[in-house]
Amino acid sequence: MANGNEKLNAVQVRGRRALYGLAVTAMLAVYPAIVATDAIAAPGTLIPLSPDFDYSHLCIAPPAVPAPKNWSNWNGKSASTVSPDDMLRDAQTLFNPYSRFSRSPATAERIAGYLTEVPFAGSGRALHLYGRILADKDDASLHGDEIVKVETDAIRRGTIEAGTFLGRLYREGSVVTADANKARAYLTAAANAGDPAADLELARLYFRNPALSSTPDESHVYLNRAVAKLSERLGAGDCSVLTAFADIMTDPDLGLDDGAGAAQWLQAAVKLGDLRAMSTLARRYLQDNDDVKRQQAIDLLRQASALGHSASRLALADLLLSSSPQGSGKTEAFNLLAAEADRNNPRAYEMKASYYRGAYGAGIDTGLELQALEKAAALPDANLRTLERLGMLYASSASAPDFERAKKIFMKAVDRGSSLSAFELYRLSSGAKPSIRLEEDPLGYLKAAAEQGLGVAMSELSSLYSCGAGVEKNPQIAHAWLEKAAAAGNAGSLLALADEALAQRTDAGNAASVGFLRQAAEQGDVEAMMRISLSYRDGKGTQKDGDAAEAWHRRAMTADPAVATLAEARSLLSPDAPEQRDAVKARAILESSAPTGNPDLLFELARLYIDADPTLEPDPRKATSLFAAAAVKGSVPAMLRLVDMKVAAADGGGMDWQQWLARAIATGDLRATLVQAELEARDDRKVAILKSVLDRPLCSEKEQVQAALAMRSLPQFKQDYVNLFERVMAAPMRDPTTQYQVARFLLNERPAEKPRAIELLKSAAEGGKREAMREIGRMYGAGDGLPRDDKNSYLWLVRSARLGDEGALESLVKEILSEQSSLNDPTSGDAKVETLLRDLEAENSPQVASLLSRLYLRLAEGSPAFAPAAKSWTLKAASLGSGPAMLNVSDFYAAGTHGFEHSDRKSTEWLAKAAHAGYRGAFEKYAIALQIGFGTKADSEEAQRWLVRSTDRAK
């Protein structure tokens, strides 16, 4: 058998801060007579201190603990017929994490709290237990003052352990503010009173705070004292200290890291039936990603489960479900959970709820999850997250939300300190159509949640102060709450600060933006992950790092490919430099992620199939289909695009444009309300709608501008129109769209402030607003408010045209062709046209081809010399899918004009192409051609079908 000195001296070498002084206690003293049996050596025999030694014949089993009484019907206030000592014993059993009975910390707290007011001999121990229970709660830091009070009182009543516990709290600083001097005072008193745990705490304190030590070896001295006292307890038959030895050998606060040695002590304790050792050793085995160790952990957890240890049963069930949620392990796991459920253990129901929520990969069953959560919530020890989740399920049920039950559960959770539940109560009781009514002001719940540190509540409070909704408008307070929300990890607030820093358009701002994005990304925000990837790729705000860029890109795509793809596509569509725009790639990657069904992604993709872009071929039919798919999934912008397109039900996903407008209005979206006002034929109703808009908070600058523009043409709202723009101009403007609209307001309403308008246009143009780029380009070209500069004019117009601005494109082409018109030479501008096409990457753009076709046709009317160019560009536009160009080609073949030969067949072929491409202007003409057999075989049935389509589209 290994000698104890040899065994622990090996630890001394490995651990740096080893168990010095164990040589003193390596051979234990004579055992008391009460443990002398035939199995032990004669009195005076020395026993080795080694995990290899068989201590089973020395251990004295602690007295059997009786099962706790049923305290479910006791309110915690009325006098109990049970003696205070028995009540305290039950409370200790119910709180003990290694009890063989079902735990109930809530019941233990109720009993211990009651006993703190009852005079009896064990009142000090009751106070100490109450303090430990409070310190074990999730919101322990909120009870710091109370914990100090009750533990101090326990010390006065002679409970030594209370001093050790209070000293530890001051040493750790997680529940109360760290104070090394207070820790030393409490721990020294407890150690001098004989508590070995206090010696260990002092060893930790001096190891972590060597400046407090009076000698270099003070930490070692107290560690030796603790080990000596533990050895004495072992000699007296207390074999639980074997697990304590294991803890010491891997205690980082003692500078020790001997996992192998600790495992040997735990194995020795396991042989003696120590539940704590079984549980601890199982956890350590699971930390090693090793199949053999994993099986050993399962065996240990099964052993502890058989002894009635609740935590081991749950750990084993979790392990089995994680490995085989639908396989052989599920039956054993559910049997374990059933056993704990029979003991009214809420954790069993919570784990079943997690299983039905899909956490183990076995699929989702919200109904069974709800049942499990309801059973857990009915028990006194229900997890706070259980109450929160149950309330959310009640409130968010797609079929039949139960807001009153949600309110009841959230109220219960708020009473237990849930900031999330306070926020949900605010959310459900606020807005134009609150789901619940509260006796208190909902704002009070929001402020309480924010003050408790809930990021989303801080963010909401920031928004309220920003626009003065329910509170006095205060931008400074708003920004302070925004920063607090960001500091709490709220991703939305971090992204807002990132955008704010980016808007500075400086290197420092870019670097700050990356810092905020990184924090949001670490919180799991997918958009932030992708933006961080792009920052590393481009070296914007940070050093270029291809590996980091790829790692973040992979992480984003794994987390949510739709959101990640959308963020990447938007960066391609709105780059810092317009010449870097790549709409072709953006559409391709959005198309690849379209199967995810993300409504925002579908909407963005639809826009790229219909909105003007010089590098893309449009497809209106596909765009309509994508808008409909996005609208069905709840995209309000998509609904409004369908309204704008006046879609029929057949093309609008089963709803026509009027139904989509009603659906959008029902969401409360401001844009929908403004569209409703725009389309309203009756002036009195239009006025009523716009008056309702003015009753809204109109928090953001965008909302204020949108409302103002909707009122611009109505005389009775003239002052409101001006007032809204005044509100916008009174605050800093960061949004390029807002800057552009304010500039237009100044140019239209206050010509004297044209210089200020031009500065806003420049800022908006630099921020990526294409309309502002167009205006600046035109001003440079005309010398209007800016010095005439053809080069700058061309650059700004090209930038705008690359972003899809048709007005800028028309200005560019008209400028080029104006020279041809004046010189009557159709070739004089060819080089400039070719340069423009290269600059726009638009050689195959239907938009550019259509524009050149229209302008050359106009020039050809004055000079036949332009006819060849007109024919060439018209054919190109038609071949690229332009419906109007197809009709032009058809007409020109039919008439034999504009350089086209007469051909009825070719005329009808182009009509057919236009009709089959979905261009409604061709439907009736194609029907007529089919009816009379113009350039094709007559087909009255097919003609009738196209006439019906033409009629349907016209409704």
Side-chain angles (χ1 to χ4, degrees), residues 419-438:
S419 57
L420 178 61
S421 296
F423 176 73
E424 287 301 319
L425 286 172
Y426 157 78
R427 191 179 63 81
L428 291 173
S429 60
S430 302
K433 297 179 181 179
S435 302
I436 61 173
R437 297 286 180 184
L438 298 175

Side-chain angles (χ1 to χ4, degrees), residues 798-845:
V798 166
R799 287 181 179 180
S800 180
R802 275 191 59 80
L803 295 175
D805 187 81
E806 290 192 81
L809 178 60
E810 188 164 351
S811 291
L812 286 163
V813 176
K814 279 184 175 180
E815 178 63 27
I816 293 170
L817 298 190
S818 67
E819 299 178 16
Q820 294 176 299
S821 177
S822 62
L823 296 172
N824 200 28
D825 178 1
T827 63
S828 65
D830 285 353
K832 289 187 176 181
V833 169
E834 290 176 6
T835 299
L836 177 63
L837 292 176
R838 285 196 302 272
D839 288 343
L840 294 177
E841 297 180 8
E843 289 85 351
N844 295 306
S845 165

Side-chain angles (χ1 to χ4, degrees), residues 40 230 405 436 521 857:
I40 351 177
L230 289 171
R405 294 182 79 176
I436 61 173
L857 285 170

Side-chain angles (χ1 to χ4, degrees), residues 723-739:
N723 289 344
L724 285 168
F725 269 107
E726 290 284 2
R727 281 173 59 183
V728 173
M729 290 187 288
M733 288 175 280
R734 299 186 181 90
D735 177 58
T737 298
T738 300
Q739 293 169 337

Side-chain angles (χ1 to χ4, degrees), residues 666-681:
T667 67
D669 188 276
L670 174 65
R671 293 164 296 178
T673 302
L674 295 177
V675 170
Q676 179 191 21
E678 179 185 352
L679 296 175
E680 180 56 60

Side-chain angles (χ1 to χ4, degrees), residues 426 443 446-447 450-451 457-482 484 697 699:
Y426 157 78
L443 191 61
L446 176 64
K447 289 183 174 179
E451 287 164 1
M458 296 178 186
S459 178
E460 176 69 11
L461 198 54
S462 170
S463 298
L464 296 186
Y465 276 110
S466 180
C467 69
V471 294
E472 184 179 356
K473 185 174 182 177
N474 191 315
Q476 290 75 30
I477 294 178
H479 203 270
W481 277 114
L482 181 67
K484 288 180 180 179
C699 298

